Amino acid sequence: MVLVVALVAVLGAGAFAVMASSRVRGSASETAAEYFAAWREGDILGMARLVHQPPSDFSQQHYALTEELHIESIRLTPGQVKSAGDESAEVPFSGVRQLAELGAWPFAGLLRLGVRERAWKVLWAPETLHPLLKDGGTLELGEIEGSAAELVTREGHKIPNDSYAEAYLNPLKSEFETAGHGWELVSKVPGRPARRLLARAPEANVERTTLSRPVQAAAARALDGVDDSAVIVIRPSTGEILALADRLKDNYSAVRDVFPPGSVFKTITAAALLRSGLDPSAQVECPGTYTIPFHRAFQNDGQVDRGVVSFTDAFAHSCNTTFVQQATTRIDADALRETADVWGFGRPIATGIGGTCGTVPDTDDLDMFAADTIGQGQVVATPLCMATVAAAVQSGVWRSPRLLSKEQVRRIDGPPHEDVPMDQAVVSALRDMMAAVVDHGTASEAGLPEGVVGKTGTAEALDEGSHGWFIGYRDDLAFCVFVRHGGSGRRAAVPIAARFLNGL
């Protein structure tokens, strides 16, 4: 009996040892719970200890995904453990990764487990991180380039189609490119087209200009069918450019390129003569031809002799001979240039798109000086410049014109010139003289609406036809119409101004 009992004890102990040695440690649910807990806490080493034969780059793959996708946090919600055999199991789970640029990114996955070396282990593969990493797939976070800035009118509306302002607005867009970008999350699997999973488009960069939609539209439509022409409209009280319609050919710019201004420059010469003491009602001669003593002769258009007229009427009828005679006897080249500089000449203009006014060069040649006084000779101006002259007559203050906000103009072009108050007696006289031009002078009976005052100009060009000009204002709206090689101001420019003003 003793031997039997001993034998049974030995056999029992052996059986227990065999059973103990074949027992599986833990359970699928315990291992899964530990793995998810470590994953939530970012304990990559703890996760690796639960994985059967983790790849050498196990940690690197986890860290790389977090860094490359800018993952800030992860939430994991395991499902029920499902048996897939005596020694295998699966745990479906859902999760949400929080991406810094794209926000919450939900996903679903499957955690596979199996018994390896008498213990439940995670059977890890890249798709455990995310199903789209299967079969060599990758997940990539990329930047979406922002679109060019959209420039809109002062009202916040789109710039009208065929506005003839594109040559200025399109290059300006690069000044407002956003520093930020949009983002996209893309799945790439070898042999398949890339697939966008998430995206955040860059914020639209909208910048308001000073252009007025109705004014810009009216200016553009007034130029339809008229090649080589431009209309610039300014608000005298602020200097804001309300319309910039430019159809000049051969890459000429109404803002940056200068042309002989012809008789619209008589506005500047008249200001200099008024400052010298010439009264608007003074009686002056307007012969068909006038010869400067011992110098050259100057003629009126068509050699029209108007006899003796008031200085105002000489301005209204654009008497070349009157202006040459009065200027060469009352003022000199220095006085003319100084007056022109007060009215904006001789300096760049900070508009946000650049610009310049014009120049009145020094001269000791009396014939050249005389030609300058009527807008020929060496004097040149931009259409922008002459629009600011008209605006200064209306408001009594020369203001630097601008197409953008003051802050943006200062950033792009630098500080604009300060406002320049005009001589109020001179300005008051010029207003009456410009009104006479429309009432009974060179711009009369041309279909202009009531309340418009202005000055016509015809500038001879060397090789081709004359340039036509018309500057003026109506209420708080000043303008310059310029037609390159278009002929006289009355025939070429005034009709455009009439169409523009009547189209508002």
Side-chain angles (χ1 to χ4, degrees):
M1 288 294 294
V2 173
L3 290 175
V4 170
V5 171
L7 180 59
V8 170
V10 170
L11 292 175
F16 178 79
V18 171
M19 291 178 62
S21 64
S22 63
R23 182 180 300 169
V24 176
R25 295 189 298 275
S27 67
S29 59
E30 291 173 345
T31 300
E34 288 183 45
Y35 188 83
F36 284 119
W39 194 355
R40 288 189 192 96
E41 305 221 354
D43 181 6
I44 308 300
L45 293 178
M47 296 166 65
R49 284 193 293 271
L50 297 169
V51 174
H52 173 64
Q53 296 180 354
S56 59
D57 62 348
F58 178 83
S59 297
Q60 182 181 350
Q61 290 193 54
H62 283 76
Y63 289 132
L65 188 69
T66 298
E67 292 176 5
E68 291 172 5
L69 301 191
H70 302 174
I71 298 171
E72 296 178 323
S73 63
I74 186 170
R75 296 198 311 270
L76 298 166
T77 305
Q80 295 294 322
V81 177
K82 298 179 180 179
S83 175
D86 293 338
E87 296 185 346
S88 62
E90 296 176 344
V91 182
F93 66 94
S94 61
V96 178
R97 288 183 169 95
Q98 188 71 26
L99 278 56
E101 287 79 15
L102 295 172
W105 176 37
F107 70 104
L110 184 67
L111 186 71
R112 296 173 56 245
L113 303 103
V115 176
R116 299 292 187 272
E117 299 174 358
R118 299 188 301 279
W120 280 97
K121 292 283 188 177
V122 172
L123 305 181
W124 191 89
E127 56 264 32
T128 307
L129 261 176
H130 195 283
L132 293 175
L133 297 177
K134 186 178 182 180
D135 300 328
T138 58
L139 294 168
E140 299 177 10
L141 182 68
E143 293 182 352
I144 302 174
E145 290 295 330
S147 59
E150 181 182 4
L151 299 175
V152 298
T153 66
R154 60 186 297 106
E155 304 91 352
H157 301 150
K158 289 185 177 294
I159 304 296
N161 293 331
D162 300 323
S163 67
Y164 305 133
E166 292 82 4
Y168 299 99
L169 299 180
N170 290 338
L172 187 59
K173 292 178 181 180
S174 62
E175 292 288 348
F176 300 98
E177 290 180 352
T178 57
H181 301 272
W183 296 89
E184 62 177 357
L185 179 62
V186 177
S187 168
K188 295 182 178 180
V189 178
R192 303 179 195 171
R195 181 161 61 99
R196 176 184 282 182
L197 305 175
L198 291 177
R200 192 192 72 196
E203 293 183 6
N205 186 15
V206 178
E207 185 70 25
R208 292 194 184 216
T209 67
T210 61
L211 297 178
S212 164
R213 182 177 176 83
V215 179
Q216 180 68 39
R221 300 294 69 81
L223 291 186
D224 284 345
V226 185
D227 287 335
D228 230 356
S229 56
V231 174
I232 296 181
V233 185
I234 294 174
R235 174 167 285 165
S237 60
T238 63
E240 296 168 295
I241 298 174
L242 301 182
L244 177 53
D246 188 342
R247 297 198 67 193
L248 295 179
K249 297 164 63 176
D250 303 324
N251 292 320
Y252 279 104
S253 164
V255 169
R256 294 181 286 272
D257 290 312
V258 294
F259 308 90
S263 292
V264 292
F265 188 75
K266 287 174 183 168
T267 309
I268 303 299
T269 306
L273 289 170
L274 291 166
R275 287 181 62 192
S276 76
L278 182 59
D279 191 274
S281 62
Q283 298 298 294
V284 294
E285 295 180 355
C286 178
T289 301
Y290 172 74
T291 302
I292 304 172
F294 308 109
H295 288 273
R296 60 165 286 195
F298 289 85
Q299 298 177 342
N300 289 331
D301 183 27
Q303 292 185 276
V304 175
D305 186 340
R306 297 189 180 276
V308 177
V309 297
S310 68
F311 182 44
T312 293
D313 282 349
F315 183 87
H317 295 293
S318 204
C319 292
N320 291 336
T321 54
T322 301
F323 274 78
V324 169
Q325 182 181 25
Q326 295 299 318
T328 54
T329 56
R330 287 178 171 273
I331 61 175
D332 58 18
D334 287 341
L336 181 65
R337 189 194 66 256
E338 289 169 4
T339 301
D341 288 350
V342 170
W343 289 77
F345 281 71
R347 56 176 173 257
I349 299 178
T351 62
I353 54 173
T356 189
C357 191
T359 56
V360 181
D362 291 327
T363 181
D364 294 326
D365 185 332
L366 188 60
D367 290 336
M368 184 61 70
F369 166 62
D372 286 342
T373 65
I374 58 174
Q376 297 289 163
Q378 294 179 314
V379 62
V380 290
T382 62
L384 173 67
C385 179
M386 298 313 301
T388 64
V389 168
V393 173
Q394 192 277 348
S395 69
V397 178
W398 185 93
R399 292 183 172 88
S400 186
R402 58 185 174 86
L403 186 67
L404 300 170
S405 67
K406 292 180 180 179
E407 294 74 19
Q408 294 293 5
V409 168
R410 192 173 292 109
R411 178 181 68 84
I412 297 171
D413 282 350
H417 196 281
E418 294 181 356
D419 293 351
V420 180
M422 298 287 102
D423 183 315
Q424 293 305 303
V426 169
V427 166
S428 179
L430 287 175
R431 290 170 185 157
D432 292 339
M433 295 166 73
M434 292 175 71
V437 172
V438 177
D439 179 66
H440 56 271
T442 54
S444 62
E445 299 179 358
L448 293 166
E450 188 175 350
V452 177
V453 305
K455 181 68 185 83
T456 60
T458 304
E460 296 177 1
L462 291 177
D463 301 324
E464 301 182 55
S466 299
H467 304 313
W469 294 81
F470 185 50
I471 65 172
Y473 64 84
R474 184 190 190 197
D475 299 326
D476 197 18
L477 186 151
F479 60 85
C480 173
V481 178
F482 174 66
V483 185
R484 182 168 168 257
H485 303 307
S488 74
R490 176 178 176 83
R491 290 192 298 271
V494 174
I496 293 174
R499 287 198 298 273
F500 159 63
L501 293 166
N502 288 318
L504 288 173

